[in-house]
Amino acid sequence: MRTLIIADVHANLPALQAVLADAGEISQVWCLGDIVGYGPDPNECIEIIDCLPGLVCIKGNHDAAILDEIPVETFNDAARASLEWLRTQLTDEKKQWLSALPERVEVDEFTLVHGSPRNPVWEYLLNRETARQNMLYFETKFCLVGHTHVPGIFSLIDVDLASIRYRSMVEGEPFSLTNKCIINPGSVGQPRDRDPRPAYMIYDDSDVSWTFQRVAYDIKRVQTRIRSAGLPALHAERLAKGW
Ligand code: ZN
C-alpha cells in the first residue's frame, strides 16, 4: 500500500495537481497542515484534498489563524496580508472543514502533526537540539511534520537521546528507516530549501520503503494568479527561488 505524504500546500493549486499526477496510484494520503495561506486557490485546494483516498489531514498554523484559533499578530506582515485576503475568499463550508481538522493524529507507528509533537501547531523543528527534545513527545516510531517547508529527517541515534542525526534526502531513491525519526516531506506549495519544485514523500508498506520526490510545475501560472488576486508580491517572487 502506497501512502502519499504531503505538507504545506498553501493554496497552490498547480503545485498540488502536479504532485498528485506525479505520485501515481496511492491508497491513502497524509496531509500535514497549512492547506491555505499565501496562495490564490484555497477553496479549490481544500476541495481536491477532501476527495483524496484514505485522507488523514492535520491542522496547520495558517489553517488555525484563519479560524481565529491563534492570533494573526504572530504572523509577519506579508503572511498577515494573505490571511486577511483569505478571510474574504474562504467559504463558510471550507472554514468548517478546516475547523474540524485535528492537531495531532496517531496512525499505527506514525504520529502526524504540523509543527512538532511538543507544540503541534506552532513549533518549528529547525535544528537537532529542538528535535532531540521533541523525541520525548511521541511514542510511535515515526513522527511526520511540516511547517518549516524544508524536507529532511532527524534520527535518534542513542536511546539516551544523546545523539541526533540530521540528513536531507535524495529524490527518487527509496530508503529505509530503522531508528526513531522525525520526518519532514517538504512543502508542496511553497518550498523553502532553495529548490522551487514541490516536494512530497511516498511510504510503501509492501517493502517498508520511503521515497522523496520533487516535481516541476508551472510556477508562472500561480505567480500570475497571486498578483492578479492582489496578494503580496513577495509570495509570488519567492516561489521561483524556492525560498
Ligand atoms: Zn506552512
Side-chain angles (χ1 to χ4, degrees):
M1 185 166 73
R2 297 174 83 243
T3 301
L4 170 64
I5 305 162
I6 55 174
D8 297 282
V9 172
H10 281 297
N12 186 336
L13 183 61
L16 176 62
Q17 289 170 326
V19 163
L20 295 176
D22 193 61
E25 202 165 310
I26 45 175
S27 303
Q28 58 183 11
V29 179
W30 296 341
C31 177
L32 306 173
D34 275 6
I35 296 107
V36 300
Y38 301 133
D41 293 306
N43 292 302
E44 294 78 359
C45 286
I46 290 174
E47 248 156 58
I48 289 177
I49 287 170
D50 188 35
C51 294
L52 293 173
L55 178 70
V56 178
C57 190
I58 300 297
K59 187 183 290 175
N61 57 307
H62 284 254
D63 310 319
I66 193 65
L67 301 164
D68 292 321
E69 292 176 1
I70 54 175
V72 288
E73 292 75 42
T74 54
F75 289 76
N76 65 43
D77 287 351
R80 207 160 58 231
S82 92
L83 282 166
E84 295 304 334
W85 175 88
L86 184 59
R87 241 179 251 291
T88 67
Q89 302 294 314
L90 209 57
T91 66
D92 286 346
E93 181 202 357
K94 298 295 185 287
K95 280 184 192 154
Q96 279 164 18
W97 187 88
L98 288 175
S99 118
L101 296 177
E103 293 181 0
R104 177 188 182 121
V105 170
E106 286 180 17
V107 186
D108 303 324
E109 55 184 345
F110 308 88
T111 298
L112 280 55
V113 292
H114 178 62
S116 77
R118 177 166 60 184
N119 184 343
V121 173
W122 196 248
E123 185 176 33
Y124 289 88
L125 284 173
L126 288 165
N127 57 57
R128 289 189 300 164
E129 174 55 23
T130 315
R132 187 187 69 79
Q133 294 167 16
N134 268 279
M135 289 289 177
L136 296 166
Y137 288 80
F138 63 103
E139 303 296 324
T140 56
K141 184 172 179 185
F142 303 112
C143 180
L144 301 173
V145 302
H147 198 34
T148 64
H149 300 207
V150 176
I153 300 172
F154 292 99
S155 307
L156 184 62
I157 305 305
D158 299 330
V159 283
D160 64 357
L161 295 175
S163 180
I164 298 284
R165 181 186 295 152
Y166 178 76
R167 66 164 165 126
S168 50
M169 296 178 278
V170 179
E171 66 185 270
E173 288 181 10
F175 57 92
S176 58
L177 292 172
T178 47
N179 294 12
K180 186 169 185 172
C181 294
I182 299 174
I183 304 153
N184 189 323
S187 168
V188 170
Q190 194 166 101
R192 291 182 191 158
D193 60 336
R194 308 278 176 191
D195 185 334
R197 296 173 301 159
Y200 69 95
M201 289 178 79
I202 297 284
Y203 173 70
D204 191 335
D205 69 358
S206 63
D207 59 0
V208 202
S209 70
W210 301 78
T211 312
F212 172 65
Q213 296 285 12
R214 310 276 322 216
V215 57
Y217 79 112
D218 189 350
I219 293 178
K220 286 204 165 58
R221 189 176 138 211
V222 71
Q223 285 178 315
T224 303
R225 294 265 303 119
I226 287 173
R227 292 190 181 108
S228 62
L231 282 159
L234 173 70
H235 296 151
E237 286 155 21
R238 62 192 301 185
L239 280 178
K241 299 175 189 151
W243 176 247

